[in-house]
Amino acid sequence: MPATFPRARKAVIPAAGLGTRFLPATKATPKEMLPVVDKPAIQYVVEEATDSGLDDVLMVTGRNKRALEDHFDRAYELEQLLELKGDKEKLLRVRASSELGTVHYVRQGNPRGLGHAVLCAEPHVGDQPFAVLLGDDLIDARDRLLTRMLDIQQRYGGSVVALMEVDPDRAHLYGCAAVRPAGDAEQDDVLRVTDLVEKPEPGTAPSNLAVIGRYVLAPEVFDVLRRTPPGRGGEIQLTDALRELAADPSLGGPVHAVVFRGRRYDTGDRGEYLRAVVRLACEREDLGPDFRAWLADFVASDAAATNGAPVGTGEPIRTGEPVTVGQRA
Ligand code: G1P
């Protein structure tokens, strides 16, 4: 694929959200620090950025987010202790998050929406294309969505969003795109975006192609964001700025979309968060075999209990709380 435009080198991760869906867990802990198996959700996202060649990461944070800075910093006392003990495995695990690349921070003093968070990144990003990764969306590391988007941006210039087909009943939960073919038979996962609507009223979505939390943006998006009025929810919406770019390519180049058909976990939703933890735990080489066996037994006992049969012989469930059959999130 011929490269014609400069490639994005920096990643911006908005992380100022309050995480109210996870209260009380997020009362004193940033939602980005909730563990997915044994790593905070945000570490998967930073790893995705650095694995895709973006080793300059800017986090847009807010109050109550100091744990994020600590997590991506060295932890000397802990490292010394592990060194003394000769525990190399844990030492590697502790160090991994501080060796991912350079992580910078800027505060979004008065959070006014995703578009506003992206605008806070302007002084750091400057006049080069850049990626935006939303922390609630985990993209399976094997599916390489961001690398594909960076390639497409390099080929066509302008901006690139990621779209995923969703059930039409769920389209109102996302930004939705109107699209046409990009006119390049070799890239059958690439479309041209002609319009975007943030969280359309039920039944009015232009398609069932929903924007998911990965973007590669032209720096001209900053000029548009500066004059974008508050939109859906009274917030400055990135989708509204991209809509303007899509309508007039003379502003900052075209807007293309990569249609993603891989594995995405929305860890901002409690049910999906639990599913992500279970799926990723099952796939882990160290934890997976035991956990899968326990899970299969648990599901069988659960099904048997729901059908009124005696509960199976699996290990006791040690949740510390009674399990209500059929009502788990
Ligand atoms: C944001 C965007 C929306 C997008 C979604 C993907 O919404 O505004 O366009 O579809 O992320 O996760 P949020 O989920 O922050 O409300």
Side-chain angles (χ1 to χ4, degrees):
M1 185 156 62
T4 44
F5 292 90
R7 195 172 177 88
R9 299 269 163 233
K10 293 182 179 174
V12 173
I13 305 183
L18 296 175
T20 50
R21 279 188 275 183
F22 280 87
L23 283 169
T26 47
K27 187 175 170 190
T29 303
K31 66 171 175 169
E32 294 80 8
M33 290 301 294
L34 294 180
V36 177
V37 189
D38 50 8
K39 258 196 296 192
I42 190 78
Q43 190 175 332
Y44 291 87
V45 179
V46 175
E47 283 172 358
E48 182 189 338
T50 55
D51 284 353
S52 311
L54 307 171
D55 50 14
D56 179 313
V57 175
L58 176 74
M59 264 186 221
V60 184
T61 67
R63 293 171 61 75
N64 218 356
K65 301 283 181 170
R66 282 188 28 204
L68 291 175
E69 296 187 29
D70 288 340
H71 185 71
F72 292 101
D73 196 0
R74 299 290 297 267
Y76 287 106
E77 297 85 347
L78 186 55
E79 288 178 31
Q80 252 177 4
L81 193 83
L82 293 170
E83 246 166 48
L84 276 175
K85 281 189 176 173
D87 194 335
K88 288 211 178 99
E89 197 203 317
K90 290 208 180 95
L91 195 59
L92 285 177
R93 283 205 250 158
V94 165
R95 284 196 179 144
S97 59
S98 60
E99 289 172 351
L100 283 173
T102 323
V103 186
H104 306 267
Y105 301 88
V106 63
R107 281 214 182 200
Q108 186 187 8
N110 172 19
R112 285 160 50 209
L114 178 58
H116 178 241
V118 171
L119 196 50
C120 293
E122 183 181 15
H124 183 84
V125 166
D127 60 0
Q128 296 298 309
F130 63 104
V132 173
L133 293 84
L134 304 190
D136 282 348
D137 281 354
L138 291 195
I139 303 295
D140 197 297
R142 293 160 291 186
D143 292 333
R144 316 294 307 161
L145 169 63
L146 189 56
T147 303
R148 178 77 180 138
M149 294 173 74
L150 291 164
D151 290 346
I152 295 303
Q153 193 276 339
Q154 205 176 359
R155 180 182 174 91
Y156 295 105
S159 301
V160 179
V161 298
L163 298 178
M164 206 165 180
E165 272 184 46
V166 295
D167 189 310
D169 293 349
R170 293 182 60 79
H172 67 283
L173 301 171
Y174 297 91
C176 282
V179 293
R180 63 175 167 78
D184 185 340
E186 280 171 42
Q187 323 288 335
D188 64 356
D189 58 338
V190 179
L191 296 168
R192 180 76 179 261
V193 176
T194 55
D195 196 10
L196 285 159
V197 187
E198 178 66 7
K199 311 218 169 83
E201 293 298 333
T204 68
S207 74
N208 67 336
L209 290 169
V211 176
I212 58 170
R214 298 293 178 271
Y215 307 79
V216 183
L217 300 176
E220 289 83 0
V221 74
F222 295 127
D223 298 330
V224 179
L225 279 170
R226 251 191 300 282
R227 58 169 189 263
T228 300
R232 175 69 64 194
E235 298 191 331
I236 298 173
Q237 296 290 352
L238 179 58
T239 306
D240 292 344
L242 284 166
R243 172 181 221 182
E244 202 177 321
L245 288 175
D248 183 357
S250 74
L251 293 174
V255 179
H256 283 90
V258 169
V259 181
F260 183 59
R261 300 193 177 88
R263 288 154 285 197
R264 165 187 178 255
Y265 313 103
D266 174 6
T267 57
D269 173 87
R270 285 177 299 173
E272 278 221 32
Y273 168 79
L274 291 175
R275 287 190 274 279
V277 173
V278 171
R279 285 175 75 149
L280 293 175
C282 283
E283 287 168 7
R284 282 268 296 256
E285 271 175 28
D286 51 348
L287 303 167
D290 274 2
F291 184 63
R292 270 171 185 270
W294 174 85
L295 190 62
D297 203 22
F298 173 66
V299 171
S301 334
D302 193 28
T306 311
N307 294 331
V311 173
T313 55
E315 248 187 72
I317 303 155
R318 286 182 292 253
T319 58
E321 299 221 359
V323 172
T324 312
V325 173
Q327 283 192 9
R328 293 191 316 277

